[in-house]
Amino acid sequence: MTFVQLIEYETNRAQELDAVFDQWMKTTKGKRTVMRELHAQDREQPGHFVDIVEFPSYQKAMENSQLPETQQIADQMRKLCVNEPRFVNLEVEREEGSTRT
């Protein structure tokens, strides 16, 4: 079952955080279990972001969380955020309008 994690956070150091994300993408190539990631900024609240990260399953998400590089990015992210990021863990029960079969 597909698993989605929403990560909501605020930062006034978005460019620095982008560099951290880019480094994570580079260092986890071939290891990470992320199927898709969307990085979005709130149009109404500058500095407010939401990342939507899709995994094939909860188990694959946990594998990804255990990567040393993921632990490192989480620590760096916390330092660049105004407050503690909020994580919402979602089991996808139904998906409509998907191009996947």
Side-chain angles (χ1 to χ4, degrees):
M1 180 181 305
T2 303
F3 179 80
V4 174
Q5 187 172 65
L6 303 179
I7 308 166
E8 184 178 20
Y9 55 95
E10 294 181 22
T11 184
N12 53 13
R13 300 167 71 181
Q15 289 181 329
E16 291 175 70
L17 202 48
D18 279 345
V20 169
F21 292 149
D22 289 344
Q23 182 63 28
W24 181 82
M25 291 294 286
K26 185 186 296 185
T27 60
T28 60
K29 186 174 183 173
K31 296 192 266 186
R32 66 180 174 271
T33 60
V34 174
M35 291 173 34
R36 183 169 62 153
E37 191 264 341
L38 299 168
H39 175 71
Q41 182 172 356
D42 188 331
R43 290 180 58 103
E44 309 303 321
Q45 293 181 13
H48 179 236
F49 296 86
V50 176
D51 290 356
I52 304 166
V53 188
E54 184 178 4
F55 298 90
S57 67
Y58 173 77
Q59 291 76 17
K60 289 293 184 185
M62 293 303 99
E63 283 178 33
N64 196 75
S65 291
Q66 296 306 314
L67 293 173
E69 297 88 350
T70 301
Q71 297 294 316
Q72 184 179 21
I73 191 177
D75 291 340
Q76 291 174 314
M77 183 179 183
R78 284 183 179 92
K79 291 175 186 172
L80 296 172
C81 287
V82 173
N83 48 30
E84 188 69 20
R86 179 176 174 253
F87 292 82
V88 180
N89 298 311
L90 305 167
E91 292 284 356
V92 177
E93 293 187 7
R94 212 168 115 173
E95 187 173 349
E96 303 296 330
S98 174
T99 57
R100 291 187 256 174
T101 56

